[in-house]
Amino acid sequence: LKRVLQAAAVLGPQVVVRVLDRTVDTGGRLAVRLRELQRLGFIREARRRPESVYVFRHALIRDVAYQTMRRRRRMELHFQAGLAMEQIFSERRREFQTIIAEHFLRAEVWDKAAGYLLQAGDDSARLHAHTEARRHLAQADQALVWLPRTPGNLRRRIDTIIKRATVSYTADAPREGLGRLGEAEELVGELSGG
């Protein structure tokens, strides 16, 4: 029960049963475990259609279940959740890209996290949702820092920094934007070998 509760905590306040089933191995007994957790008052069924979803009865239960896990276990569950969501929602990935990105960020799978965050940043910028675009692009930049300094990754960072400066020009002080562009210029220098 503890493992199912912890995996549910990783998935967030709303626990999609199909994702939970692919995130934690219960030996085919997930429905039994969920009923038991419901009977004990930890979770409740929020809806059955179009997708079976459970929620925690109290946010504190979720927080305790999440915080009592070891870091390595949390990272593994976030990784499994990200993979599960990629597969289950393969035809609706853009709809779930920020959630998938968050799982890969917390799992420290930097390349996948950066890819989803860049897409989310681009989508937000296209909709003129600059606050969200700035947040997604800032997180993407932080993820890209952890990747090897290959020419491809340097180009991705330069592009990300420029996109971030573009959506931040009215929100940030000019000094911040210039600082970011200076960083991009240094990366261009490193990319060109001088």
Side-chain angles (χ1 to χ4, degrees):
L1 284 180
K2 178 181 174 182
R3 293 179 62 227
V4 173
L5 190 65
Q6 288 176 332
V10 162
L11 294 180
Q14 297 208 4
V15 181
V16 176
V17 173
R18 283 194 304 159
V19 176
L20 181 62
D21 191 36
R22 291 200 187 176
T23 302
V24 65
D25 181 20
T26 61
R29 299 185 48 85
L30 181 61
V32 173
R33 303 279 192 273
L34 289 172
R35 280 194 301 275
E36 183 64 14
L37 288 170
Q38 193 170 9
R39 188 187 66 75
L40 293 170
F42 291 116
I43 61 173
R44 66 178 173 78
E45 190 172 38
R47 70 173 191 262
R48 289 187 185 174
R49 287 186 175 54
E51 186 91 53
S52 184
V53 174
Y54 282 80
V55 294
F56 283 86
R57 288 218 179 257
H58 302 284
L60 186 58
I61 293 170
R62 178 179 177 255
D63 292 346
V64 169
Y66 189 85
Q67 296 300 330
T68 56
M69 272 184 282
R70 293 181 182 220
R71 181 176 180 272
R72 184 176 215 74
R73 172 79 175 138
R74 259 196 318 261
M75 288 174 62
E76 177 59 30
L77 286 171
H78 277 295
F79 177 67
Q80 292 302 323
L83 292 178
M85 290 187 77
E86 278 184 324
Q87 294 167 356
I88 291 169
F89 302 118
S90 62
E91 299 200 8
R92 297 170 47 202
R93 276 191 193 159
R94 285 183 105 141
E95 184 181 334
F96 293 96
Q97 65 193 357
T98 57
I99 299 168
I100 296 170
E102 184 67 26
H103 284 301
F104 286 131
L105 265 181
R106 291 179 182 228
E108 297 181 4
V109 181
W110 306 119
D111 193 44
K112 280 184 170 279
Y116 282 108
L117 288 164
L118 287 169
Q119 185 65 57
D122 289 346
D123 289 351
S124 296
R126 213 174 358 271
L127 295 171
H128 300 284
H130 295 294
T131 301
E132 289 81 8
R134 282 193 304 277
R135 185 179 67 247
H136 298 317
L137 293 170
Q139 287 179 309
D141 189 38
Q142 289 173 348
L144 289 168
V145 166
W146 290 97
L147 295 177
R149 293 178 82 82
T150 63
N153 288 335
L154 288 173
R155 284 187 190 91
R156 284 173 78 191
R157 270 213 69 215
I158 293 164
D159 289 344
T160 302
I161 291 169
I162 291 169
K163 288 176 184 179
R164 191 172 169 203
T166 302
V167 297
S168 300
Y169 70 96
T170 59
D172 293 345
R175 184 179 15 218
E176 287 180 55
L178 289 173
R180 280 192 203 104
L181 292 174
E183 183 180 4
E185 185 178 23
E186 289 174 18
L187 292 171
V188 168
E190 183 178 333
L191 189 60
S192 62

